[in-house]
């Protein structure tokens, strides 16, 4: 299996607090992501001037973490540990960029099992083959 290519998104910080009611005459497009001067992350949910905005993280919101666990891949274990405890929502595990689904129990056929808020198991052991390492990433809320 060829490794999946991962893409990176870089956002620039605006020097105004959001939502952008103080920026008249700008047509905002649905799905636009913004980091405001308070380091809050916003998404435009409806095109318009000023558009409709939803706060994704920041003061009063749960912080979203994306963590690369590939350094833990050793070809012998299917158990991985995150840097912080999951506080809300569910952990999402990605193997080579593919979402492995919502955690359940491995014995009932799930691809991911959450052992505790910082530990999970996969239904397979990620491998290091021919100089290539399978990639393991997670997202969760702290």
């Amino acid at each position: 299996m060829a490794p999946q290519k991962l893409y990176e998104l870089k956002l620039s910080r605006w020097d105004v607090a959001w939502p952008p009611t103080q920026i008249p005459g700008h047509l905002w497009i649905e799905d636009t992501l913004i980091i405001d001067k308070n380091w809050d992350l916003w998404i435009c949910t409806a095109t318009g001037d000023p558009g409709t905005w939803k706060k994704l993280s920041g003061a009063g919101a749960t912080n979203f973490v994306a963590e690369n666990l590939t350094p833990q891949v050793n070809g012998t274990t299917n158990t991985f540990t995150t840097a912080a405890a999951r506080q809300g929502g569910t952990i999402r595990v990605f193997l080579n960029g593919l979402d492995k689904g919502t955690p359940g129990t491995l014995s009932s056929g799930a691809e991911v099992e959450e052992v505790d808020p910082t530990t999970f198991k996969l239904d397979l052991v990620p491998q290091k083959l021919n100089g290539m390492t399978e990639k393991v990433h997670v997202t969760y809320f702290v």
Side-chain angles (χ1 to χ4, degrees):
M1 176 172 160
Q4 297 289 321
K5 187 169 185 173
L6 299 176
Y7 294 91
E8 182 176 300
L9 173 67
K10 182 172 172 48
L11 299 174
S12 297
R13 184 173 170 223
W14 283 67
D15 196 27
V16 293
W18 234 249
T21 55
Q22 63 272 46
I23 307 174
H26 189 95
L27 179 64
W28 295 99
I29 306 300
E30 183 177 349
D31 296 331
T32 299
L33 291 171
I34 296 292
I35 297 176
D36 74 6
K37 76 177 201 172
N38 300 317
W39 292 102
D40 294 334
L41 179 63
W42 296 81
I43 187 168
C44 181
T45 59
T47 299
D49 176 7
T52 303
W53 294 85
K54 179 179 180 184
K55 189 177 194 180
L56 299 176
S57 72
T62 305
N63 290 320
F64 177 79
V65 174
E67 187 176 348
N68 178 6
L69 301 181
T70 302
Q72 295 180 35
V73 174
N74 61 18
T76 63
T77 185
N78 67 338
T79 302
F80 295 86
T81 303
T82 60
R86 179 188 58 75
Q87 298 295 318
T90 186
I91 192 169
R92 299 299 290 195
V93 179
F94 299 85
L95 179 64
N96 300 319
L98 300 174
D99 189 341
K100 301 307 282 180
T102 303
T105 59
L106 296 181
S107 61
S108 66
E111 294 183 271
V112 178
E113 180 174 322
E114 189 170 5
V115 177
D116 61 45
T118 61
T119 309
F120 68 91
K121 288 183 179 182
L122 289 173
D123 66 340
L124 54 81
V125 175
Q127 298 296 308
K128 287 184 162 191
L129 300 170
N130 303 324
M132 301 291 287
T133 301
E134 290 193 282
K135 310 291 185 215
V136 178
H137 295 81
V138 294
T139 60
Y140 56 94
F141 294 94
V142 296

